[in-house]
Amino acid sequence: MDACFEILLSTRQTLEYLECHQETFTWGGVEYPQGEKCYLWGKYIKLVEREIPPHIIKRLPAAYGSMQWLNFSLQGKGLDLLESEVNGSEIDWEGKTFDEFLKLILTEQPQWVVIFEWQCDRIDSLYQQNVSECIDRIKNNLKWDNNREGFLVLPVPENEVGLSAIATEWEFAEIWADTLISPPYILMLVKERSGIFCIYNPAQNYKVIFSSDNYEAAKMWLLEDEYERLNSRILQEV
Protein backbone atom coordinates (compact mmCIF):
# COMPACT_ATOMS: atom_id res chain seq x y z
CA MET A 1 0.00 0.00 0.00
CA ASP A 2 1.24 3.47 -0.88
CA ALA A 3 0.77 5.02 2.55
CA CYS A 4 2.79 5.91 5.64
CA PHE A 5 1.45 5.46 9.15
CA GLU A 6 2.98 7.09 12.20
CA ILE A 7 2.03 7.53 15.83
CA LEU A 8 3.16 10.33 18.12
CA LEU A 9 3.13 9.49 21.84
CA SER A 10 3.70 11.82 24.76
CA THR A 11 5.19 9.08 26.99
CA ARG A 12 6.66 5.60 26.73
CA GLN A 13 4.29 4.12 29.30
CA THR A 14 2.11 2.09 26.92
CA LEU A 15 5.08 0.62 25.04
CA GLU A 16 5.39 -1.90 27.85
CA TYR A 17 2.45 -3.76 26.31
CA LEU A 18 4.65 -4.53 23.30
CA GLU A 19 7.70 -6.75 22.93
CA CYS A 20 10.90 -4.69 22.72
CA HIS A 21 13.46 -6.05 20.27
CA GLN A 22 16.92 -4.96 19.15
CA GLU A 23 19.59 -6.81 17.24
CA THR A 24 22.89 -7.24 19.10
CA PHE A 25 26.39 -8.43 18.33
CA THR A 26 28.95 -9.91 20.69
CA TRP A 27 32.52 -8.68 20.93
CA GLY A 28 34.92 -9.93 23.55
CA GLY A 29 32.12 -11.67 25.38
CA VAL A 30 30.06 -8.47 25.64
CA GLU A 31 26.75 -7.85 23.81
CA TYR A 32 26.35 -4.52 22.02
CA PRO A 33 23.16 -3.11 20.45
CA GLN A 34 23.09 -3.02 16.66
CA GLY A 35 20.47 -1.44 14.44
CA GLU A 36 17.15 0.14 15.34
CA LYS A 37 15.20 -0.70 18.46
CA CYS A 38 11.66 -1.74 17.61
CA TYR A 39 8.49 -2.73 19.43
CA LEU A 40 6.49 -5.74 18.24
CA TRP A 41 2.81 -6.62 18.51
CA GLY A 42 2.41 -10.17 17.27
CA LYS A 43 3.83 -11.24 13.90
CA TYR A 44 2.65 -8.37 11.72
CA ILE A 45 2.95 -5.06 13.58
CA LYS A 46 6.24 -3.34 14.30
CA LEU A 47 6.91 0.17 15.60
CA VAL A 48 10.26 1.80 14.89
CA GLU A 49 11.23 5.03 16.64
CA ARG A 50 12.13 7.81 14.22
CA GLU A 51 12.63 11.57 14.13
CA ILE A 52 9.43 13.52 13.49
CA PRO A 53 9.39 14.77 9.88
CA PRO A 54 9.32 18.60 9.77
CA HIS A 55 6.23 18.67 7.56
CA ILE A 56 4.29 16.78 10.26
CA ILE A 57 5.25 19.26 12.96
CA LYS A 58 4.07 22.07 10.69
CA ARG A 59 0.60 20.53 10.36
CA LEU A 60 0.05 20.16 14.11
CA PRO A 61 -1.89 22.84 16.02
CA ALA A 62 0.57 25.10 17.78
CA ALA A 63 -0.17 23.69 21.25
CA TYR A 64 0.73 20.21 19.99
CA GLY A 65 3.69 21.28 17.87
CA SER A 66 5.48 22.63 20.94
CA MET A 67 5.17 19.36 22.90
CA GLN A 68 7.94 16.80 23.27
CA TRP A 69 6.84 13.81 21.17
CA LEU A 70 8.06 10.28 20.60
CA ASN A 71 7.49 9.38 16.96
CA PHE A 72 6.97 5.78 15.88
CA SER A 73 6.70 4.58 12.29
CA LEU A 74 4.48 1.56 11.66
CA GLN A 75 6.38 -1.16 9.81
CA GLY A 76 5.53 -4.75 8.90
CA LYS A 77 2.43 -6.12 7.17
CA GLY A 78 -0.13 -4.83 9.67
CA LEU A 79 -1.63 -2.01 7.60
CA ASP A 80 -1.79 -4.12 4.43
CA LEU A 81 -3.52 -6.92 6.31
CA LEU A 82 -5.98 -4.48 7.85
CA GLU A 83 -6.80 -3.21 4.34
CA SER A 84 -7.48 -6.78 3.21
CA GLU A 85 -9.63 -7.43 6.29
CA VAL A 86 -11.88 -4.38 5.88
CA ASN A 87 -12.41 -5.34 2.24
CA GLY A 88 -13.69 -8.81 3.06
CA SER A 89 -10.69 -11.10 3.57
CA GLU A 90 -10.35 -13.23 6.67
CA ILE A 91 -7.10 -12.50 8.49
CA ASP A 92 -5.62 -14.66 11.22
CA TRP A 93 -4.00 -12.13 13.53
CA GLU A 94 -3.08 -14.93 15.93
CA GLY A 95 -4.67 -13.06 18.83
CA LYS A 96 -2.87 -9.76 18.15
CA THR A 97 -5.28 -7.62 16.11
CA PHE A 98 -4.71 -4.12 14.78
CA ASP A 99 -7.67 -2.78 16.79
CA GLU A 100 -6.28 -4.12 20.07
CA PHE A 101 -2.85 -2.72 19.23
CA LEU A 102 -4.13 0.84 18.80
CA LYS A 103 -6.37 0.64 21.87
CA LEU A 104 -3.47 -0.52 24.05
CA ILE A 105 -1.05 2.06 22.67
CA LEU A 106 -3.36 5.10 22.76
CA THR A 107 -5.98 4.71 25.49
CA GLU A 108 -3.71 5.37 28.48
CA GLN A 109 -1.59 8.05 26.78
CA PRO A 110 -1.99 11.63 28.06
CA GLN A 111 -1.68 12.88 24.48
CA TRP A 112 -1.28 11.20 21.08
CA VAL A 113 -1.48 11.86 17.36
CA VAL A 114 -2.18 9.31 14.62
CA ILE A 115 -0.88 10.20 11.16
CA PHE A 116 -2.08 8.51 7.97
CA GLU A 117 -0.20 9.92 4.98
CA TRP A 118 -1.75 8.76 1.73
CA GLN A 119 1.03 8.21 -0.84
CA CYS A 120 3.42 9.13 1.99
CA ASP A 121 3.21 12.83 1.13
CA ARG A 122 -0.44 13.81 1.41
CA ILE A 123 -2.36 15.12 4.43
CA ASP A 124 -5.79 16.49 3.62
CA SER A 125 -7.60 16.78 6.95
CA LEU A 126 -7.20 17.08 10.70
CA TYR A 127 -9.71 15.51 13.10
CA GLN A 128 -10.27 15.29 16.84
CA GLN A 129 -11.68 11.89 17.83
CA ASN A 130 -11.57 9.28 20.56
CA VAL A 131 -9.64 6.04 20.05
CA SER A 132 -12.62 4.04 18.73
CA GLU A 133 -13.55 6.79 16.26
CA CYS A 134 -9.92 6.97 15.14
CA ILE A 135 -9.87 3.23 14.43
CA ASP A 136 -13.12 3.51 12.46
CA ARG A 137 -11.66 6.37 10.39
CA ILE A 138 -8.56 4.33 9.54
CA LYS A 139 -10.69 1.37 8.46
CA ASN A 140 -13.04 3.49 6.36
CA ASN A 141 -10.04 5.06 4.67
CA LEU A 142 -8.80 1.61 3.68
CA LYS A 143 -12.00 0.54 1.94
CA TRP A 144 -11.45 0.26 -1.78
CA ASP A 145 -14.75 1.93 -2.71
CA ASN A 146 -14.02 5.05 -0.61
CA ASN A 147 -11.93 8.02 -1.64
CA ARG A 148 -8.59 7.82 0.15
CA GLU A 149 -7.28 10.79 2.09
CA GLY A 150 -4.33 11.64 4.27
CA PHE A 151 -5.17 12.85 7.77
CA LEU A 152 -4.06 13.54 11.32
CA VAL A 153 -6.19 12.50 14.29
CA LEU A 154 -5.82 14.24 17.66
CA PRO A 155 -7.56 13.02 20.82
CA VAL A 156 -10.76 14.71 21.92
CA PRO A 157 -9.46 17.22 24.50
CA GLU A 158 -10.11 16.34 28.13
CA ASN A 159 -8.08 19.31 29.39
CA GLU A 160 -6.97 22.73 28.20
CA VAL A 161 -4.54 21.53 25.51
CA GLY A 162 -7.14 21.35 22.77
CA LEU A 163 -8.63 24.76 23.55
CA SER A 164 -5.31 26.54 24.07
CA ALA A 165 -4.56 26.23 20.36
CA ILE A 166 -7.61 28.41 19.70
CA ALA A 167 -7.10 30.69 22.69
CA THR A 168 -3.52 31.81 22.03
CA GLU A 169 -2.23 30.63 18.63
CA TRP A 170 -4.53 32.08 15.98
CA GLU A 171 -4.46 35.00 13.56
CA PHE A 172 -8.13 35.50 12.75
CA ALA A 173 -11.52 33.85 13.20
CA GLU A 174 -14.82 33.90 11.33
CA ILE A 175 -18.25 32.85 12.59
CA TRP A 176 -20.34 30.80 10.14
CA ALA A 177 -23.89 29.55 10.64
CA ASP A 178 -26.41 27.24 9.03
CA THR A 179 -29.40 29.61 9.11
CA LEU A 180 -31.78 27.11 7.52
CA ILE A 181 -32.30 25.45 10.89
CA SER A 182 -33.60 27.00 14.10
CA PRO A 183 -31.71 27.90 16.15
CA PRO A 184 -28.84 28.35 13.66
CA TYR A 185 -25.91 25.91 13.94
CA ILE A 186 -22.63 27.74 14.53
CA LEU A 187 -19.10 26.84 13.37
CA MET A 188 -15.81 28.77 13.60
CA LEU A 189 -13.27 29.13 10.80
CA VAL A 190 -9.89 29.92 12.36
CA LYS A 191 -6.54 30.63 10.75
CA GLU A 192 -3.81 29.37 13.06
CA ARG A 193 -0.35 30.92 13.19
CA SER A 194 0.99 27.73 11.63
CA GLY A 195 -0.85 28.73 8.43
CA ILE A 196 -3.49 25.99 8.76
CA PHE A 197 -7.18 26.87 8.45
CA CYS A 198 -9.34 24.84 10.87
CA ILE A 199 -13.10 24.63 11.25
CA TYR A 200 -14.12 24.14 14.89
CA ASN A 201 -17.46 22.99 16.25
CA PRO A 202 -18.19 24.87 19.52
CA ALA A 203 -21.03 22.46 20.30
CA GLN A 204 -18.53 19.58 20.47
CA ASN A 205 -15.93 21.17 22.77
CA TYR A 206 -14.32 22.95 19.82
CA LYS A 207 -13.61 19.73 17.99
CA VAL A 208 -11.74 20.17 14.69
CA ILE A 209 -14.04 18.90 11.93
CA PHE A 210 -12.06 20.10 8.90
CA SER A 211 -8.64 21.56 8.17
CA SER A 212 -6.72 22.74 5.12
CA ASP A 213 -3.67 24.81 4.30
CA ASN A 214 -5.87 26.83 1.93
CA TYR A 215 -8.53 29.37 2.98
CA GLU A 216 -10.62 28.87 -0.16
CA ALA A 217 -10.86 25.12 0.48
CA ALA A 218 -12.11 25.71 4.02
CA LYS A 219 -14.60 28.36 2.83
CA MET A 220 -15.93 26.08 0.08
CA TRP A 221 -16.41 23.27 2.61
CA LEU A 222 -18.72 25.59 4.57
CA LEU A 223 -20.51 26.96 1.51
CA GLU A 224 -21.21 23.47 0.17
CA ASP A 225 -23.10 22.75 3.40
CA GLU A 226 -24.97 26.07 3.01
CA TYR A 227 -23.26 27.88 5.87
CA GLU A 228 -23.17 31.69 5.78
CA ARG A 229 -20.55 33.97 7.25
CA LEU A 230 -22.12 36.11 9.97
CA ASN A 231 -19.49 38.63 10.99
CA SER A 232 -16.51 40.60 9.88
CA ARG A 233 -13.21 38.84 10.47
CA ILE A 234 -12.08 38.83 14.12
CA LEU A 235 -8.36 39.56 14.45
CA GLN A 236 -6.32 38.53 17.47
CA GLU A 237 -4.87 41.44 19.35
CA VAL A 238 -1.12 41.19 19.79
Side-chain angles (χ1 to χ4, degrees):
M1 182 196 310
D2 190 9
C4 295
F5 191 99
E6 297 184 83
I7 300 174
L8 306 186
L9 303 178
S10 57
T11 73
R12 294 184 182 273
Q13 67 186 48
T14 55
L15 294 174
E16 63 189 27
Y17 295 122
L18 309 182
E19 176 188 347
C20 181
H21 178 76
Q22 186 171 30
E23 297 290 340
T24 62
F25 71 96
T26 302
W27 179 263
V30 180
E31 279 196 347
Y32 296 93
Q34 183 178 31
E36 296 176 314
K37 180 187 290 186
C38 63
Y39 298 87
L40 306 178
W41 176 252
K43 291 174 58 177
Y44 306 117
I45 296 174
K46 178 170 72 172
L47 289 181
V48 178
E49 190 167 357
R50 299 276 172 80
E51 292 292 326
I52 305 176
H55 70 281
I56 297 296
I57 297 176
K58 182 180 178 181
R59 295 303 300 266
L60 294 172
Y64 285 83
S66 61
M67 295 178 65
Q68 297 297 313
W69 293 105
L70 304 167
N71 180 49
F72 296 92
S73 175
L74 180 68
Q75 306 291 316
K77 299 180 180 179
L79 199 60
D80 291 315
L81 292 177
L82 184 64
E83 181 184 34
S84 296
E85 184 176 63
V86 300
N87 287 289
S89 298
E90 289 191 14
I91 304 298
D92 181 7
W93 295 95
E94 299 186 13
K96 300 283 188 176
T97 67
F98 197 97
D99 292 39
E100 292 169 339
F101 158 70
L102 277 184
K103 288 176 182 177
L104 283 173
I105 286 294
L106 301 181
T107 300
E108 297 177 19
Q109 283 285 331
Q111 296 294 336
W112 51 266
V113 182
V114 168
I115 303 151
F116 189 111
E117 282 191 274
W118 184 237
Q119 297 177 335
C120 292
D121 62 359
R122 177 177 148 195
I123 297 177
D124 305 292
S125 303
L126 184 150
Y127 303 98
Q128 283 185 307
Q129 298 181 311
N130 61 37
V131 175
S132 295
E133 291 171 334
C134 176
I135 293 171
D136 289 342
R137 179 164 299 280
I138 293 166
K139 289 182 174 180
N140 286 332
N141 205 47
L142 294 175
K143 291 181 178 178
W144 295 328
D145 55 354
N146 288 346
N147 291 326
R148 306 291 181 96
E149 68 167 347
F151 57 80
L152 280 73
V153 179
L154 311 179
V156 176
E158 297 179 357
N159 49 40
E160 296 302 319
V161 173
L163 298 181
S164 66
I166 305 174
T168 62
E169 300 294 343
W170 55 280
E171 293 185 14
F172 67 76
E174 298 173 352
I175 307 301
W176 291 69
D178 181 352
T179 58
L180 298 179
I181 60 176
S182 182
Y185 201 84
I186 303 297
L187 297 177
M188 291 177 59
L189 171 55
V190 178
K191 181 185 180 184
E192 300 185 352
R193 289 184 181 172
S194 64
I196 302 301
F197 297 87
C198 292
I199 297 175
Y200 293 89
N201 187 343
Q204 297 180 326
N205 198 24
Y206 291 90
K207 176 180 178 180
V208 177
I209 57 175
F210 181 84
S211 73
S212 174
D213 56 7
N214 182 283
Y215 173 77
E216 290 300 318
K219 184 175 74 172
M220 286 304 301
W221 188 92
L222 290 162
L223 292 174
E224 286 173 359
D225 283 346
E226 300 185 346
Y227 279 83
E228 300 177 12
R229 182 171 154 184
L230 296 185
N231 66 330
S232 58
R233 184 171 288 174
I234 303 168
L235 302 178
Q236 184 181 36
E237 296 183 3
V238 179

